[in-house]
Amino acid sequence: MILLSILLCLAFAAVLPENRAEAQPLQISSPENVLQLQFTLENGAPQYTLGRLGQPLILPSKLGFKLAGAPDLDGNFAVIGHQSSTFDETWEQVWGEKRFIRNHYNELRVQLQQQDAQARRLDIVFRLYDDGIGFRYEFPEQPNLTEILIDDELTEFALTGNHESWWIGAYQWNRFEYLTENTPLAAVDTVHTPLTMRTADDLYLSFHEAALTNYSTMTLERVAGYTLKANLMPWADGIRVRTQAPAVTPWRTLQVADRPGDLITSYLILNLNEPNKIEDTSWIQPAKYVGIWWEMHLDKSTWEPGPRHGATTENAKRYIDFAAAHGFDHVLVEGWNPGWEGDWFADGVVFDFTRAYDAFDLEGVAAYALERGVRLMGHHETSASVEHYEAQMEEAFALYERLGVRAVKTGYVGHGQEIFWTDADGNRNYEWHHGQHMVEHHQRVVELAAQHRISLNVHEGVKDTGLRRTWPNLMTREVARGQEYNAWGENGGNPPDHVLMLPFTRNLGGPFDYTPGVVDLLFEEWRPDNRVPHTLAKELALYVVIYSPLQMAADLPENYENAPLPLQFIKDVPADWYDTQVLDGSIGNFITIVRKDRNSDEWFLGSITNEQGRLLQTPLSFLDEGRRYRAEIYHDASDAHWEHNPYALEFTESEVNSSTVLPVRLAAGGGIAVRFVPLD
């Protein structure tokens, strides 16, 4: 990591006598005075307000905790000290959508102590950026607060109106894998984050959390009117969080922007995470991959052994030959290990993570790939049987490391509150996918994987909260409805506007392994009731619009061989970027994103729309001034339409520069993908 500039200065510090709060309210603003926060004690209870450019954004909102087995930390406080500081650095991502990120904030630390015999301490730390805030609680080490059992976190966001909201409901059977709802705030109950809103004044908000470790996932519950309150995913016994002082919570975050696209290019979530902890990151490589996966979702082959078994040595070598011929870095193979027979998703205590089926020569396939400049991508489907997986993890990762595997896709297919652990009495306790039990499990997995020089692609896991900064081998996740729903999902799959919601909602948390690039859009032979609801150009544009450092070309090798034109763009587009800009966009309607390759001076543009066709005028001012570029344009033909003519793709070239305004014609459900190659 390269630090370009660091400025850290203590602005003031004050220590107040107990029982005095005359210094209230405490105030702090962001570096350019865009946001203003005020902290107060109301009858000993902590609360805060937030304004933007003089207008209220968050009305007085509660802070604190209800505890189990101990008095609550929600009142009877006095401020015993407060410190303010400013921080400014520029740091380099190991990989990402932007290489260099500025981390510039003003911080207020408020030290509280309860005015009773126990005199328990609680610190609240606020960090204000010009594009949002983060705040967290810190429990100092102290004699009267050791074991902490959180019964409820009282954090509130009291909003100023019935804002338009985009959300996915929490506590649902199928985890995060639902279509995004778009309603007024008054229709919201309890929802996952990121939660995105638009105010009546056209201000855009995103509520989330950062640096989620050793804690439970936060959902947001509308408790009264337009007030949202933290609702932590509980343990089986109802306790929300178990921890010990000293301890810190994740950051509670609010990002604020004048345009929806500015939420996408806000790096507040990453900035609130700790710096990289992996000293040697040379083995962590963004990449593109193909794999034995889509053919199972199409029901062309099966995960389990039999006449249509996908994970055979012969089939794997076919994929490896294709990858080697076209420059793909990894080949994923699912269904390679015993356990896929029968009802595995109902009882995952069946998988063997170190032994292969007879039809799959694990060692031979891994060696075959390496000989051809390709790596096998590992696969660990756990069926959410975490105890069973953890008993084999060390040996399984060691095996993959020995075979030259550098990336593993993990899976946690399971539903509702089905993840169990066994207590000392032999009883099974059943947990949610997103409670503290699983947060801690995923942290153990990423740290163990790092020891074996393996990167992770996590499916059915915990939402991204920026931990990729601290553990850059935690490269990408699913945690949403991906491409596979187009193969077998009800109502034909995802609607055309699904991928127009994702950049402004789920993707604000971090990279998404959506698995784009399907070129056989109808697959009538295998799944006649389903299809990909896009044009071919839109599928290509997704490589720019939906970011993942491990980016899949999801379709079958034979389909790519029959579609050399779209395959060329998939081969050319990078998976690691120097810069990202959102040129224009409207949530659920359309978006235009450009990204610059980290390893060259090439730029790439992706623009997509929902069911409505659009004519856009796109200035190319992001290009270097004074340079000429060849624009390689993959666009919808004039008669293209996602529903009745999705394959109508045309390719054109033109010379452009930073003064060019590119006319963009998007068919209904369509898109455009452009590569800009410098000519000098």
Side-chain angles (χ1 to χ4, degrees):
M1 183 173 62
I2 300 174
L3 296 180
L4 299 184
S5 65
I6 299 178
L7 173 63
L8 179 62
C9 64
L10 188 64
F12 65 85
V15 179
L16 304 179
E18 291 187 8
N19 299 314
R20 290 186 59 192
E22 291 90 341
Q24 300 299 311
L26 299 176
Q27 299 185 27
I28 189 171
S29 62
S30 64
E32 296 298 326
N33 199 30
V34 176
L35 297 176
Q36 305 85 33
L37 181 138
Q38 180 173 284
F39 174 87
T40 59
L41 288 178
E42 294 298 321
N43 297 318
Q47 65 179 34
Y48 74 101
T49 60
L50 182 70
R52 184 178 190 267
L53 298 175
Q55 298 297 316
L57 196 62
I58 301 294
L59 302 176
S61 299
K62 296 177 183 176
L63 300 164
F65 297 92
K66 297 289 187 183
L67 303 183
D72 297 328
L73 288 168
D74 63 346
N76 195 26
F77 282 112
V79 175
I80 63 167
H82 56 91
Q83 298 85 40
S84 179
S85 61
T86 186
F87 185 79
D88 192 1
E89 70 169 359
T90 297
W91 58 278
E92 181 180 8
Q93 289 202 84
V94 175
W95 50 263
E97 57 275 69
K98 186 178 179 67
R99 183 173 181 180
F100 296 105
I101 293 178
R102 189 181 184 189
N103 185 16
H104 188 198
Y105 61 83
N106 291 337
E107 178 178 292
L108 172 66
R109 174 180 293 272
V110 183
Q111 297 165 303
L112 303 175
Q113 186 171 63
Q114 287 186 315
Q115 303 302 286
D116 56 23
Q118 288 192 327
R120 293 176 305 167
R121 288 275 317 283
L122 178 67
D123 290 358
I124 306 176
V125 181
F126 299 93
R127 288 184 181 173
L128 269 70
Y129 297 79
D130 288 323
D131 61 350
I133 69 167
F135 62 89
R136 74 178 181 187
Y137 304 91
E138 299 187 3
F139 303 94
E141 186 173 0
Q142 52 195 294
N144 292 323
L145 188 65
T146 52
E147 183 183 35
I148 303 169
L149 302 179
I150 296 176
D151 213 18
D152 194 13
E153 182 181 319
L154 303 180
T155 301
E156 285 184 346
F157 300 93
L159 295 158
T160 59
N162 193 18
H163 304 331
E164 183 178 8
S165 303
W166 289 265
W167 53 272
I168 290 174
Y171 293 96
Q172 295 194 82
W173 177 82
N174 203 23
R175 306 169 309 272
F176 282 85
E177 297 184 18
Y178 292 90
L179 297 174
T180 303
E181 302 281 351
N182 178 207
T183 71
L185 176 57
V188 167
D189 184 358
T190 304
V191 299
H192 285 300
T193 66
L195 165 63
T196 302
M197 294 184 184
R198 180 173 68 88
T199 72
D201 298 325
D202 270 343
L203 199 62
Y204 291 86
L205 315 176
S206 176
F207 299 85
H208 195 38
E209 57 183 320
L212 172 61
T213 60
N214 304 314
Y215 207 79
S216 178
T217 294
M218 180 185 73
T219 69
L220 290 173
E221 174 187 4
R222 190 176 62 85
V223 291
Y226 308 135
T227 296
L228 297 172
K229 178 191 155 303
N231 183 316
L232 306 179
M233 298 295 287
W235 285 84
D237 62 1
I239 297 296
R240 306 290 175 150
V241 173
R242 290 176 159 84
T243 189
Q244 292 182 327
V248 300
T249 71
W251 296 92
R252 279 63 189 96
T253 66
L254 168 57
Q255 291 157 281
V256 189
D258 290 304
R259 303 187 315 147
D262 293 338
L263 294 176
I264 296 171
T265 53
S266 166
Y267 301 101
L268 181 148
I269 300 294
L270 282 176
N271 279 329
L272 288 168
N273 278 264
E274 296 297 318
N276 172 29
K277 290 187 176 182
I278 301 176
E279 185 174 350
D280 175 17
T281 59
S282 60
W283 51 273
I284 303 174
Q285 296 289 336
K288 287 176 288 186
Y289 70 100
V290 296
I292 302 174
W293 173 79
W294 185 240
E295 62 184 72
M296 281 88 92
H297 287 285
L298 293 178
D299 202 30
K300 178 176 184 275
S301 61
T302 63
W303 281 276
E304 69 273 12
R308 295 187 295 121
H309 189 198
T312 65
T313 298
E314 179 183 7
N315 198 26
K317 289 183 175 180
R318 182 172 71 92
Y319 274 82
I320 290 167
D321 289 342
F322 172 80
H326 295 284
F328 291 99
D329 304 285
H330 302 270
V331 172
L332 168 70
V333 178
E334 295 196 9
W336 67 275
N337 56 324
W340 292 96
E341 305 89 339
D343 196 11
W344 58 267
F345 46 84
D347 185 7
V349 189
V350 292
F351 287 109
D352 190 320
F353 299 101
T354 59
R355 185 168 56 90
Y357 282 124
D358 291 341
F360 186 72
D361 178 6
L362 175 62
E363 302 230 2
V365 168
Y368 185 87
L370 289 174
E371 290 168 0
R372 285 153 183 79
V374 179
R375 291 186 188 271
L376 179 67
M377 178 179 285
H379 185 238
H380 288 166
E381 174 54 62
T382 70
S383 189
S385 294
V386 171
E387 280 189 339
H388 180 70
Y389 181 44
E390 289 196 349
Q392 301 181 62
M393 273 194 329
E394 174 64 53
E395 189 177 359
F397 279 122
L399 171 64
Y400 273 148
E401 181 183 24
R402 180 173 64 80
L403 295 178
V405 171
R406 284 288 177 265
V408 172
K409 176 182 175 181
T410 60
Y412 294 84
V413 174
H415 302 99
Q417 196 171 353
E418 293 182 351
I419 297 173
F420 70 84
W421 58 277
T422 307
D423 62 26
D425 297 324
N427 301 312
R428 283 188 174 184
N429 300 269
Y430 289 88
E431 308 291 353
W432 294 94
H433 271 68
H434 315 299
Q436 185 179 4
H437 177 71
M438 287 304 290
V439 169
E440 293 178 346
H441 162 75
H442 285 292
Q443 189 63 32
R444 288 192 292 272
V445 176
V446 71
E447 293 185 26
L448 180 64
Q451 293 175 26
H452 292 281
R453 299 168 69 87
I454 287 175
S455 297
L456 294 178
N457 172 2
V458 183
H459 282 229
E460 299 89 27
V462 171
K463 63 185 178 182
D464 195 340
T465 62
L467 286 174
R468 57 194 171 110
R469 179 185 180 189
T470 312
W471 298 96
N473 66 317
L474 185 54
M475 296 191 76
T476 192
R477 312 184 193 217
E478 182 194 39
V479 197
R481 279 176 68 120
Q483 183 85 277
E484 68 270 20
Y485 279 82
N486 291 326
W488 43 256
E490 61 182 7
N491 301 319
N494 299 321
D497 68 351
H498 177 56
V499 292
L500 274 304
M501 301 283 194
L502 294 171
F504 305 100
T505 54
R506 179 259 177 259
N507 293 6
L508 298 180
F512 179 18
D513 185 36
Y514 175 80
T515 61
V518 172
V519 296
D520 179 18
L521 301 169
L522 303 181
F523 34 89
E524 294 167 310
E525 179 181 358
W526 311 107
R527 298 280 193 180
D529 295 331
N530 284 74
R531 56 161 298 169
V532 175
H534 305 151
T535 67
L536 200 50
K538 184 173 179 179
E539 275 294 295
L540 299 182
L542 292 178
Y543 283 95
V544 182
V545 172
I546 296 181
Y547 175 62
S548 178
L550 293 176
Q551 194 72 280
M552 189 178 198
D555 215 332
L556 313 181
E558 55 267 33
N559 291 338
Y560 286 126
E561 298 287 11
N562 292 327
L565 180 60
L567 175 61
Q568 187 60 52
F569 181 81
I570 295 171
K571 291 163 59 173
D572 289 337
V573 67
D576 195 16
W577 304 101
Y578 181 86
D579 193 19
T580 291
Q581 299 178 29
V582 181
L583 302 187
D584 201 359
S586 172
I587 303 175
N589 298 312
F590 74 98
I591 189 170
T592 303
I593 294 183
V594 293
R595 304 187 195 265
K596 185 178 183 182
D597 180 21
R598 181 161 176 157
N599 299 305
S600 75
D601 285 337
E602 295 183 3
W603 285 83
F604 289 77
L605 178 149
S607 184
I608 61 175
T609 185
N610 57 11
E611 296 93 331
Q612 178 180 330
R614 299 178 194 275
L615 297 175
L616 306 175
Q617 296 295 316
T618 305
L620 305 185
S621 55
F622 56 87
L623 297 174
D624 291 344
E625 188 174 354
R627 299 188 76 176
R628 298 179 301 120
Y629 293 80
R630 181 178 69 251
E632 301 172 357
I633 307 170
Y634 301 76
H635 61 94
D636 296 316
S638 61
D639 58 347
H641 191 286
W642 76 270
E643 200 164 20
H644 52 256
N645 196 17
Y647 293 109
L649 174 72
E650 293 184 353
F651 175 78
T652 58
E653 292 184 343
S654 64
E655 183 176 316
V656 299
N657 57 47
S658 61
S659 300
T660 304
V661 176
L662 182 72
V664 172
R665 177 191 176 112
L666 304 178
I672 185 173
V674 186
R675 178 191 185 195
F676 298 96
V677 182
L679 292 174
D680 48 359

